[in-house]
Amino acid sequence: MTRRRTGPGAIGLVCLLALTAGCSTAPSGASKPSDASGSASPVTTSAALRAEEALTAFEEYAEVNAAADAALDDTAIARVQTGALLRESLAEYAIARKAHRKVPVTSFTRPTFLLPSGKADAYPRWFASISKWRGREDDRQSALHYFVQEEEGGPWRAAASSWVVTDPGADRPPAAPPKVSTGKMRTKPPVLPTLDRAATGTVRLSSRASEARAACRDLAARLSFTVPDGRAPTDRFAAGPFTEDLVAYANGLADDALQRSYAYRAQEDAEPPVFRLSTGGSLVPCTLTREHQVVGRGGGTVVFDEGSDTDVLLGGGGRQWRRVTEVSSVNALIAVPARKGAPATVVSCDCYDPQTVSAVGEP
């Protein structure tokens, strides 16, 4: 399973990662893997072997993941996923079982790989991929996944997933994903910045990864507030759909009968590679935990839409609650500039509709 929202405001979109073998012209920032037919690749032997290994990992992931989704099989999905992505999948499966519903399947195709420069035998080993949704190959948006191998001979597992706009296409907005039930955002998501690639075709790693990763914690602080107070704009991040617009969206949910608050924190149990941008900056993947608390005021109650993930976790039936605490997993991608003090840009985020992993209600 890969429950992935393509673009802001895509409520209820559930996708299955079923990446097919084969290579295509790489999207912005992506390096092209070796051709599946065996033709030469313009990379060094080490990098070429790693590209073949990445393609093999995709093929295994696609097969096992599809079967696991179809059967809602926790054991099978744990063979090919780990970390935040596995937690999201297990939560999705649990909700589907409680609701007696299936997980819709969406196929991915045209994978390209981002292979980190450096020693190929350093563990944990990582690579990233960019792919398209089958039937939507012309969409400006692409899926981004991070794979990790913890030890020599160990399995490759997908650890994190997000989406990015890879086609500049200024003349057209990203195509609306299927099953969207909310309106479009006012601000278009930024395009994935160009990555800094070596002559081998691999992607250089940022020399300031530890410093750049602080952006995840800063974003968590930026998005933590009580509605409708929100948070004042900050120089730390550029205004956009996942900063100022997101805060405005949350503040727009203010209700005299409810008190709503958000508390985010950065998860640091896994650290995917921080790639270097062609500008010298860093591309930082973040996984955040969001705690969303809603409390009824003056005797008011909280009700979630019947059949929604939160309602299912609370027992279903659209029951009324005095207080509900909902915990979700959020994935974001941040471009941190090389110049200190310059604002970072949140390139993508599923923060409008993240995967709910738990919910507790007080009657």
Side-chain angles (χ1 to χ4, degrees):
M1 161 272 176
T2 302
R3 185 176 188 267
R4 210 43 50 214
R5 282 75 174 183
T6 40
I11 303 296
L13 175 62
V14 183
C15 299
L16 173 100
L17 178 62
L19 288 164
T20 59
C23 305
S24 65
T25 301
S28 173
S31 60
K32 185 175 180 179
S34 58
D35 187 88
S37 65
S39 60
S41 173
V43 295
T44 64
T45 301
S46 174
L49 289 174
R50 291 165 66 195
E52 293 175 5
E53 191 175 8
L55 185 56
T56 299
F58 268 125
E59 291 173 340
E60 180 180 5
Y61 183 87
E63 180 181 355
V64 175
N65 187 53
D69 267 15
L72 301 179
D73 189 334
D74 293 353
T75 301
I77 200 64
R79 287 171 47 199
V80 293
Q81 289 186 355
T82 187
L85 186 55
L86 177 59
R87 290 192 292 271
E88 293 169 12
S89 293
L90 295 178
E92 182 79 7
Y93 287 3
I95 292 169
R97 285 193 292 265
K98 288 182 179 181
H100 304 288
R101 65 191 183 208
K102 297 180 179 180
V103 175
V105 175
T106 300
S107 296
F108 284 70
T109 187
R110 297 185 182 178
T112 59
F113 304 127
L114 306 180
L115 305 177
S117 299
K119 294 183 178 180
D121 58 354
Y123 292 90
R125 294 200 297 165
W126 290 88
F127 72 85
S129 68
I130 295 176
S131 62
K132 290 293 185 179
W133 292 270
R134 184 175 295 280
R136 297 174 53 209
E137 289 84 355
D138 292 334
D139 196 331
R140 290 181 57 211
Q141 299 175 88
S142 300
L144 174 66
H145 298 86
Y146 288 89
F147 280 71
V148 62
Q149 184 185 44
E150 297 287 353
E151 58 188 9
E152 185 176 3
W156 281 100
R157 294 189 176 103
S161 177
S162 187
W163 60 270
V164 288
V165 176
T166 50
D167 177 6
D171 59 331
R172 55 192 176 94
K179 304 183 186 302
V180 175
S181 59
T182 60
K184 294 181 179 179
M185 290 303 304
R186 295 187 301 273
T187 306
K188 296 178 182 178
V191 175
L192 177 67
T194 301
L195 300 174
D196 184 14
R197 283 177 280 180
T200 60
T202 58
V203 182
R204 291 190 175 92
L205 298 177
S206 172
S207 61
R208 302 167 61 181
S210 297
E211 178 184 345
R213 284 193 177 103
C216 297
R217 297 188 292 273
D218 293 340
L219 180 62
R222 174 75 185 91
L223 299 179
S224 299
F225 59 90
T226 298
V227 171
D229 299 334
R231 280 192 177 273
T234 172
D235 293 337
R236 182 68 177 94
F237 294 98
F242 313 115
T243 50
E244 270 56 50
D245 287 358
L246 178 60
V247 172
Y249 170 82
N251 284 330
L253 299 176
D255 188 321
D256 291 339
L258 300 174
Q259 177 179 301
R260 188 186 301 269
S261 62
Y262 298 91
Y264 287 75
R265 64 179 177 82
Q267 295 183 16
E268 300 179 0
D269 57 341
E271 294 186 333
V274 175
F275 293 119
R276 176 183 166 89
L277 299 173
S278 62
T279 57
S282 304
L283 187 68
V284 185
C286 304
T287 298
L288 312 176
T289 295
R290 185 190 80 172
E291 183 175 290
H292 175 206
Q293 188 173 94
V294 189
V295 182
R297 286 176 170 167
T301 57
V302 181
V303 179
F304 284 81
D305 291 341
E306 187 170 354
S308 66
D309 287 0
T310 303
D311 176 64
V312 171
L313 289 172
L314 291 172
R319 298 168 57 191
Q320 297 184 21
W321 305 89
R322 184 179 301 277
R323 178 194 304 266
V324 172
T325 301
E326 172 195 68
V327 177
S328 304
S329 181
V330 177
N331 297 279
L333 195 65
I334 305 176
V336 179
R339 182 171 63 85
K340 287 189 176 182
T345 298
V346 184
V347 177
S348 73
C349 182
D350 59 3
C351 36
Y352 286 89
D353 185 30
Q355 172 62 59
T356 303
V357 297
S358 68
V360 177
E362 179 184 319

